[in-house]
Amino acid sequence: MVDPSATRLAPEADVAAPVIELRGAGKTYRSGSIEFEALKGIDLAIYEGEYVAIMGPSGSGKSTIMNVLGCLDTLTRGEYRLGGTDVNDLDEVELAEIRNRQIGFVFQGFNLLSSLPAWRNVELPLIYGGIPRHERKQRAEQALDRVGLGDRFENRPGELSGGQQQRVAVARALVGEPTMILADEPTGNLDSVSTQDVLELFDELHARGRTIVLITHELEVAQRAARIVWVRDGEVIRDELTEAAAA
Amino acid sequence: MSWLESFRTSWSAVYSHALRSTLTVLGILIGIAAVILTVGLGLGTQKDVSAQISSLGSNLLIVAPGSSTDTAGVRGGFGSSSTLTIADAEALESSVNAPDISGVAAEKTTSLSLEANDTNWTTSVTGTTTSWLDVRARTLSTGEFISADDEETSALVVVLGSETADELFGTQRVVGQSVVISDKTFQVIGVLDSAGSDSSSNLDDVAIVPFSTAASVLVGGTESSAVSTIYLQASSDGQLSAAYQEAQTLLLNLHSIGDSTAADFTISSQDALVSTATAVYATLTILLTGVAALSLLVGGIGVMNIMLVSVSERTREIGLRKALGAPPGAIRRQFLIEAAILGLSGGLLGALLGVTAALVLPGVIGSSIVVSPAAVGLSIGVAIVIGISFGVYPATRAARLAPIDALRSE
Ligand SMILES: Nc1ncnc2c1ncn2[C@@H]1O[C@H](COP(=O)(O)OP(=O)(O)OP(=O)(O)O)[C@@H](O)[C@H]1O
Ligand SMILES: [Mg+2]
């Protein structure tokens, strides 16, 4: 099963720097006078082309890590280097470009715009990527096809099941062909058939060299990845290679 | 992201939130239409009244018995004493003593009952001279006016106001009919055109008879030579004050009064009336403008509400767009265009509605509405400013949030 001997992992150790690197990353949430330390100094390095699963109990800080990795949230301590650059040194416009070009994010709560049909939701990243209109629709429909929603282009999120909405969210993350896919529980609402479909899609993207980080609480899903990072109470407690890595 | 793309995004947001957009546009539209109409109504009333006043006769001076500076009871109230006589009127006609007065019409008015067939009607019977028609700027709808001959012979002839004729004869032919006044039978020789009413009387409910007839047949006694009003027509607009001076000097002389402050008559001009009325209606316009501004404010607060709700409702959308790679500028632009679309369409539709109503309503309510370009421009400007400040400002603030904070907002 899991190889417990692996501690520090670099499948492509010859590649110089990790694409993603957290150093002593800390995050403290403040609501009024109440402070909550969600991340307590995390060190994590992920190399290009890696397929990493993050696991841990509810409230352990998985989504918080993912939001930081996706440049959606900022650390209160430590640093986050993306492709060798400290994201703190980037301005809003540069960050927007990174979110658009390099990162495909699947949110835990989908975050679809309820007023727009499925294909328009999927198209959104392409609008900000400056892709011309005719090409956008074509690519949005291709992406929906890939997640098995070829017949649901025109449906609004409210007219789709939870699993279908989740797949629209996955399609939106893929459509811009980002180098990194960050997915927060992408199979949480899917039945076993759809779960297999989405995981095959990720396998395929991984095979084509994309870096994939996904959060899951299903060991079965996590084992499709090459590496599992275990988080508890805002700390990384284990970081190991799976059988899939050996394969 | 280009402006065209921003426009498409904004348009689809406006379009896909049809109800919210409609309400916003309605709020602006009603506010603007209300401003255009209330200001227009104020200006229109002002114009109507000025027109009515100047239609009473141009270059007119009105001489009334009694002093306007009187204390009550000393010389009798305004118009109640008989300090003016027909002799005064005749003197004012002199082209030597009063060269700038081109027309004089003395009036002697009493309220009497008129009887025709079986109908009784009480109206003000005015004895006057042939120049009355000219001086008062009136016209006849049928028949003729009192002639010099009638005046000479104290003929029993009468010219009726349009309303009086209506009351007495209805739809019948009026000229040639007989009317009994104070037991004397008068022949109707003409009917006046309608002139509406002025501040003190109904100009269409009158009966005009020769002055001599009124003096001898209807009033009689010592009062016979007294007149109630003398209307003077200045030879031109510019001569009004000269005419005023001449009339004053002449009358003071005739009445042997040295001090003009002790005059037993009062001369007033239509000009004074016009400017008083104009001042009154200017006040009215300010009042109506206040009401209009208030309705614009109420409309604006409505728009503000919808915009604020829509921005907080859409903070998650802003967060999501940022998460997917929208730079802050694109977010600002999207909401700016959205607010402009709503503000402009509300503004233009409101202007259209206001102007259309301004064209249609006068036919229904009977007073004119003047469309003021300043009111139209200003209210559209206010609508856009409201849209932008309450749509774009919160959106800009939301665009500054970290995407995840915007996404988490409820
Ligand atoms: N905005 C916030 N303000 C305050 N506390 C927060 C906030 N967001 C998250 N937390 C807290 O931080 C901790 C980590 O949250 P996080 O969402 O990362 O958990 P998670 O591991 O993703 O859990 P789950 O598996 O349930 O999604 C939780 O205890 C949560 O209550
Ligand atoms: Mg989570």
Side-chain angles (χ1 to χ4, degrees), chain B residues 330-400:
Chain B
I331 304 277
R332 268 201 307 275
R333 203 152 56 207
Q334 180 193 335
F335 279 81
L336 178 79
I337 295 173
E338 231 181 285
I341 290 176
L342 294 176
L344 255 182
S345 48
L348 293 181
L349 286 176
L352 192 71
L353 179 72
V355 172
T356 310
L359 293 178
V360 173
L361 275 183
V364 182
I365 59 172
S367 71
S368 46
I369 297 174
V370 176
V371 175
S372 143
V376 176
L378 190 75
S379 49
I380 291 180
V382 168
I384 290 172
V385 168
I386 287 173
I388 287 176
S389 22
F390 295 102
V392 177
Y393 174 66
T396 304
R397 278 186 34 182
R400 273 196 225 116

Side-chain angles (χ1 to χ4, degrees), chain A residues 29 36 38 57-64 108 185, chain B residues 408:
Chain A
Y29 287 113
F36 182 83
S58 180
S60 55
K62 306 183 296 292
S63 293
T64 306
Q108 194 167 11
E185 304 253 14
Chain B
R408 272 199 209 102

Side-chain angles (χ1 to χ4, degrees), chain A residues 29 67 71-73 92-93 96-97 99-100 105 107 109-113 115-116 121 124-125 127-128 131-133 136 156 172, chain B residues 1 5 8-9 12 16-17 316-317 319-328 330-331 334 399-405 407-408:
Chain A
Y29 287 113
N67 292 337
C71 297
L72 305 180
D73 208 351
E92 275 286 345
V93 176
E97 207 170 305
R99 289 180 203 123
N100 187 252
F105 205 100
F107 297 91
F110 323 146
N111 281 321
L112 301 175
L113 294 182
S115 61
L116 301 180
N121 267 289
L124 287 172
I127 294 181
Y128 298 112
I131 310 291
R133 213 145 77 108
R136 291 204 303 258
R156 284 161 207 276
R172 185 179 60 193
Chain B
M1 192 181 181
E5 287 297 347
R8 284 207 187 100
T9 304
S12 92
S16 58
H17 298 97
R316 295 187 61 231
E317 174 185 336
L320 178 70
R321 288 181 183 276
K322 285 195 73 175
L324 298 178
I331 304 277
Q334 180 193 335
R400 273 196 225 116
L401 290 175
I404 202 68
D405 293 328
L407 273 169
R408 272 199 209 102

Side-chain angles (χ1 to χ4, degrees), chain A residues 60-188:
Chain A
S60 55
K62 306 183 296 292
S63 293
T64 306
I65 294 174
M66 200 62 122
N67 292 337
V68 170
L69 298 187
C71 297
L72 305 180
D73 208 351
T74 48
L75 292 171
T76 45
R77 239 169 341 102
E79 66 176 20
Y80 170 34
R81 291 182 159 272
L82 181 64
T85 327
D86 189 340
V87 296
N88 264 329
D89 298 338
L90 300 173
D91 66 21
E92 275 286 345
V93 176
E94 289 166 326
L95 281 174
E97 207 170 305
I98 286 174
R99 289 180 203 123
N100 187 252
R101 301 276 158 81
Q102 301 189 21
I103 299 169
F105 205 100
V106 182
F107 297 91
Q108 194 167 11
F110 323 146
N111 281 321
L112 301 175
L113 294 182
S114 58
S115 61
L116 301 180
W119 77 269
R120 286 223 177 263
N121 267 289
V122 174
E123 176 203 42
L124 287 172
L126 301 180
I127 294 181
Y128 298 112
I131 310 291
R133 213 145 77 108
H134 54 275
E135 194 185 328
R136 291 204 303 258
K137 180 156 194 184
Q138 209 180 327
R139 280 174 68 175
E141 291 180 352
Q142 272 168 13
L144 281 168
D145 254 340
R146 277 170 92 182
V147 296
L149 288 175
D151 54 345
R152 289 283 193 273
F153 296 163
E154 293 295 342
N155 291 74
R156 284 161 207 276
E159 300 158 357
L160 297 172
S161 74
Q164 286 169 335
Q165 290 182 45
Q166 189 145 39
R167 282 184 281 161
V168 174
V170 172
R172 185 179 60 193
L174 305 181
V175 76
E177 312 230 324
T179 53
M180 256 184 284
I181 305 276
L182 306 177
D184 195 345
E185 304 253 14
T187 59

